[in-house]
Amino acid sequence: MKQISSRQGFTLVELLVVISIIAILAGILLPTVVNAFKKASDAQVRTELKSIETAVKAYVNEYSKLPLEDDWHGDPDMNLTEAQAKLTIARLVGGNPRKIVFLESNTSDGTFLDPWDVQYRMYVDSNYDNEISIGTNKIYSQVVVYSTGSGTNVYSFRQ
């Protein structure tokens, strides 16, 4: 004679045990995944900051001047506004007299945004003394590029 089993599925206790194990594993892994994404964004920002700085230096080598509007030259150590930084970067992505692309843009309109969709900013040595004063710090460079996009950290290639 054939025996018929009355058990056709999982019990409520078995399902709750499996769900609790999955929840514990997710709780352990979630901070690790979030931290990995943050580190990836940080690495992307540092790479892009270096790219912008290199593009500015290449522009200076090509044109013997910073990629600034003509009436901005001569001011001491300018901290470019967001609009000024956007115009400056537009010159680096091909908006210069010879249409040379010094910097590949990550947007369709030629702006260059950080991973948090905020325009990169920069200090420039517009009086050409190769010295930028930021607060009490003096940095010997033509440009210092930075991002304030994450809201909690300021990223600069100089860090």
Side-chain angles (χ1 to χ4, degrees):
M1 184 164 17
K2 211 175 198 185
Q3 217 175 20
I4 298 175
S5 172
S6 64
R7 185 174 172 151
Q8 296 198 6
F10 297 106
T11 66
L12 181 59
V13 172
E14 291 171 332
L15 289 174
L16 289 175
V17 167
V18 170
I19 290 171
S20 64
I21 290 171
I22 292 172
I24 290 170
L25 291 174
I28 292 169
L29 292 175
L30 187 61
T32 304
V33 171
V34 169
N35 193 28
F37 279 112
K38 183 184 179 317
K39 286 186 178 191
S41 294
D42 290 352
Q44 179 183 350
V45 167
R46 292 188 193 287
T47 301
E48 290 175 352
L49 291 173
K50 180 61 178 167
S51 297
I52 295 170
E53 183 179 30
T54 302
V56 169
K57 290 179 179 181
Y59 187 98
V60 170
N61 285 338
E62 182 69 28
Y63 292 105
S64 299
K65 67 177 192 168
L66 289 165
L68 303 173
E69 294 291 324
D70 290 334
D71 58 339
W72 298 349
H73 290 275
D75 294 335
D77 306 335
M78 291 180 60
N79 181 7
L80 300 183
T81 65
E82 187 174 339
Q84 290 172 325
K86 190 173 183 176
L87 285 171
T88 301
I89 290 175
R91 288 187 176 197
L92 299 174
V93 297
N96 53 69
R98 296 184 194 144
K99 307 293 183 217
I100 299 171
V101 177
F102 295 99
L103 182 67
E104 292 290 331
S105 176
N106 60 359
T107 62
S108 60
D109 65 351
T111 59
F112 203 77
L113 304 176
D114 66 14
W116 304 278
D117 292 331
V118 176
Q119 175 70 43
Y120 282 105
R121 303 280 299 276
M122 60 186 80
Y123 285 91
V124 293
D125 175 32
S126 57
N127 62 359
Y128 297 96
D129 65 354
N130 206 33
E131 181 178 287
I132 298 175
S133 295
I134 302 174
T136 59
N137 298 324
K138 288 191 183 214
I139 299 170
Y140 299 98
S141 179
Q142 295 170 320
V143 63
V144 174
V145 185
Y146 66 98
S147 167
T148 58
S150 73
T152 57
N153 293 325
V154 175
Y155 296 90
S156 170
F157 179 70
R158 299 286 172 198
Q159 289 180 339

